[in-house]
Amino acid sequence: MNEIVYQPDAGRDRHRRLFAQMRRDLAASAGMARQMLLRQLRAEYRQTLTGGFLAFLPALGMVFWAVLADRAKTLDAGDTGIPYAAFVLLGLVAWQTFVEAINVQIETLASERSLLAKLDLPPESLIGAALARVLVNVAPKVLVVAVVFLFLRQGVPWTVVLAPLPLLVLGLLGTALGLFLAPLHALYHDVGKGLQAVTTFWFFMTPVFYAVPKAGLFRTLVAWNPVTPLLGLTRDLAALGTS
C-alpha cells in the first residue's frame, strides 16, 4: 500500500514548477504554431493581389478624411507635435494591432474548434499562431507608414527601433482580452456583436485622431484607457524620439 506523506512546505515550489511547465509547453508547441501560422497566411493571401495592403486601405481613407477635417478646422486635434497625417496613421496602426489581436483569438477558436476536438493539439500553439499572425500583419502597415513619412519628410529618430515593443504589448493585451472572450463567444454569439459596439466606443475614447485633452472628464476617461499610454509611446518612439 502506497503511503502519502504531507509536509508543511510541500507546495513551496509549486509556482516555480508551474512556470517551468509553462515554458516546456510553449517550447513544445512552437513547431505546431509555426505550421498553423503558415497555413493561415496561405489561406488568407492565396488569392489576393495586394496582400496585406488591402486591409489597410480603410485606414488610409480615415487618414485622408481626418487631414481634410483638420485643415477645414472642423476637428480640433490639439497639439500633435508631428504632421497630422503621420499622427493619425501611427495611432491607427497601434489601434488596429490591439483590436485585431482580440478578434483573431475569437476567430481562431471558432474556426479551429473541430480541429481541437479531433486532434490532441496543445492550446498554446493556437494562441501563439494567432498572435504571430497579428504581428505579421503589422509589416505591410509599417511599410505604408514609411512611405507616408517620406512623403511628409518626417524625420525618424533612433528610438524608432524600440517602437515595436509597445506594439507587442498592445498585441498581448488584445490577446488576453480575446482569450477571455473566446469561450463566451463560443457559447453566446451575441458576444461578437457586443464586442463590435464596445470597440467602436473604445475607439473614440482612444487618442487616435486627437491629442490627449488637457483637462476635464473627457481627459480622465482617455487617461484611464489602457490603450492610451501604449499608443502614445508608440508615436513618441516612432516620430518624436521621446517617451
Side-chain angles (χ1 to χ4, degrees), residues 18-243:
L18 176 61
F19 283 112
Q21 182 64 41
M22 290 174 61
R23 288 194 299 268
R24 288 193 294 268
D25 291 341
L26 288 174
S29 63
M32 181 61 67
R34 184 164 50 250
Q35 294 180 15
M36 296 188 67
L37 172 63
L38 293 176
R39 181 172 65 88
Q40 292 172 358
L41 292 177
R42 290 194 197 101
E44 185 174 356
Y45 298 120
R46 182 178 300 163
Q47 294 181 330
T48 59
L49 180 63
T50 57
F53 291 99
L54 185 61
F56 203 60
L57 286 179
L60 290 178
M62 295 178 69
V63 171
F64 181 69
W65 170 86
V67 171
L68 291 181
D70 181 64
R71 290 183 177 180
K73 304 302 179 183
T74 59
L75 180 65
D76 185 10
D79 183 16
T80 60
I82 58 176
Y84 188 60
F87 179 86
V88 173
L89 194 57
L90 288 172
L92 286 172
V93 170
W95 173 257
Q96 287 189 340
T97 301
F98 170 67
V99 174
E100 187 177 352
I102 299 175
N103 293 329
V104 76
Q105 294 295 338
I106 297 176
E107 294 170 0
T108 298
L109 179 61
S111 61
E112 305 293 352
R113 188 188 310 175
S114 59
L115 186 63
L116 285 172
K118 295 177 182 178
L119 302 177
D120 185 17
L121 295 177
E124 294 86 356
S125 61
L126 293 176
I127 300 171
L131 179 59
R133 178 181 165 190
V134 173
L135 299 179
V136 168
N137 288 339
V138 172
K141 301 172 186 177
V142 171
L143 292 178
V144 173
V145 172
V147 172
V148 172
F149 270 43
L150 288 174
F151 178 78
L152 297 174
R153 298 181 180 179
Q154 170 65 33
V156 177
W158 71 267
T159 52
V160 69
V161 298
L162 302 176
L165 294 179
L167 280 180
L168 176 60
V169 177
L170 278 172
L172 292 174
L173 177 61
T175 296
L177 291 175
L179 290 175
F180 175 76
L181 294 173
L184 296 177
H185 181 263
L187 296 174
Y188 310 103
H189 293 294
D190 55 345
V191 171
K193 298 179 181 179
L195 177 62
Q196 184 177 2
V198 170
T199 52
T200 299
F201 175 77
W202 199 339
F203 173 77
F204 289 107
M205 290 291 108
T206 305
V208 175
F209 289 113
Y210 54 85
V212 178
K214 300 295 183 182
L217 177 61
F218 189 49
R219 182 200 179 282
T220 302
L221 294 176
V222 172
W224 277 91
N225 183 347
V227 178
T228 296
L230 295 170
L231 186 145
L233 182 59
T234 302
R235 281 199 187 110
D236 291 343
L237 293 175
L240 295 177
T242 60
S243 59

